[in-house]
Amino acid sequence: MAFDFKKEYREFYLPPAKPGLVEIPAMDFIAVRGKGDPNEPGGEYQRAMGLLYGIAFTIKMSKLGDHPLEGYFDYVVPPLEGFWWMKEGGTMDYGHKEGFCWISLIRLPDFVTKAHFDWAMEEAARKKKQDFSPVELLHYEEGLCVQCMHLGSYDDEPTTLAAMERFAGEQGCVLDIGPERFHHEIYLSDPRRVPPERRRTVLRVPVRRK
């Protein structure tokens, strides 16, 4: 049976719908950076999705080709994630999504090395006749965070985030969002198929102890 990150690491991908503290270890990701409204048809965010999944499935399906990757094991491609911040700084302003900056991410299995990643970049570009140069291999250690399962529309996230900030204070912590630590979302629902009121999104914010 294929390895499923959501099932094997439930504490990271399937938290309860109430805030909790969690220590997030270092992970490797496929990443694309950009800015602007993610809902813009044909916009920068939509193009980033094609690049991310192009590399993700090149690695995933390498088992069927003539370039076996050392250490490969069959797995379910992990869910899409995103780091978010405002171009002008401050808290996330859902009324001005044109000011969003983001890093879109898909987690990589531990067997993927820099050499594997470089091969996947070349292979995807060759097969799809497309420029994949915006894609990068990102190593990131998130550290101490508050996280919570948000149920509902993305635009309703501020209510859940406010509850998370209150919880952080009760635990003797303060938010620690900055140039290297980000508002983090993990998308467990496909917005093309799931109506806003039924969507599940893991929300995660970095904190530090007072």
Side-chain angles (χ1 to χ4, degrees):
M1 182 175 294
F3 186 93
D4 189 334
F5 288 86
K6 297 190 301 299
K7 294 179 180 178
E8 298 296 332
Y9 298 106
R10 298 178 66 87
E11 68 272 28
F12 301 148
Y13 297 99
L14 296 170
K18 61 180 182 179
L21 285 172
V22 62
E23 185 78 29
I24 308 297
M27 302 178 189
D28 288 330
F29 298 90
I30 309 165
V32 176
R33 301 169 188 261
K35 57 185 181 297
D37 188 342
N39 298 318
E40 179 187 354
E44 196 170 344
Y45 187 83
Q46 300 300 322
R47 293 193 295 273
M49 295 302 99
L51 296 174
L52 281 175
Y53 281 103
I55 300 299
F57 279 98
T58 296
I59 295 172
K60 157 78 174 172
M61 303 311 294
S62 64
K63 63 181 180 179
L64 301 180
D66 56 3
H67 188 91
L69 301 181
E70 184 177 356
Y72 182 95
F73 56 83
D74 196 18
Y75 64 98
V76 177
V77 172
L80 178 68
E81 309 186 30
F83 296 149
W84 297 86
W85 66 97
M86 297 301 296
K87 184 163 45 178
E88 305 300 330
T91 57
M92 297 298 296
D93 185 348
Y94 292 78
H96 291 279
K97 296 177 181 177
E98 71 281 359
F100 282 1
C101 297
W102 40 265
I103 306 174
S104 288
L105 312 149
I106 297 177
R107 184 177 177 178
L108 284 169
D110 291 342
F111 72 80
V112 177
T113 65
K114 179 64 164 57
H116 294 157
F117 177 81
D118 290 344
W119 168 82
M121 291 277 285
E122 294 176 3
E123 182 73 359
R126 181 182 68 82
K127 284 191 171 182
K128 296 180 179 294
K129 305 294 190 292
Q130 186 177 350
D131 177 19
F132 281 85
S133 61
V135 183
E136 63 182 278
L137 175 61
L138 178 66
H139 181 79
Y140 188 74
E141 184 170 357
E142 203 160 7
L144 184 64
C145 297
V146 170
Q147 73 175 7
C148 182
M149 183 71 77
H150 172 73
L151 306 173
S153 168
Y154 304 137
D155 290 341
D156 293 336
E157 288 179 6
T159 300
T160 302
L161 291 167
M164 294 167 68
E165 185 171 3
R166 288 194 300 271
F167 173 82
E170 293 166 359
Q171 303 303 308
C173 297
V174 294
L175 301 190
D176 191 30
I177 295 175
E180 301 297 329
R181 305 193 77 198
F182 310 102
H183 170 102
H184 188 174
E185 303 184 359
I186 304 175
Y187 307 103
L188 302 181
S189 302
D190 185 341
R192 299 169 299 178
R193 297 181 175 88
V194 179
E197 66 275 10
R198 294 178 53 199
R199 291 174 188 164
R200 297 188 305 156
T201 308
V202 179
L203 297 184
R204 191 181 290 161
V205 291
V207 298
R208 58 178 172 81
R209 299 194 185 277
K210 294 180 183 177

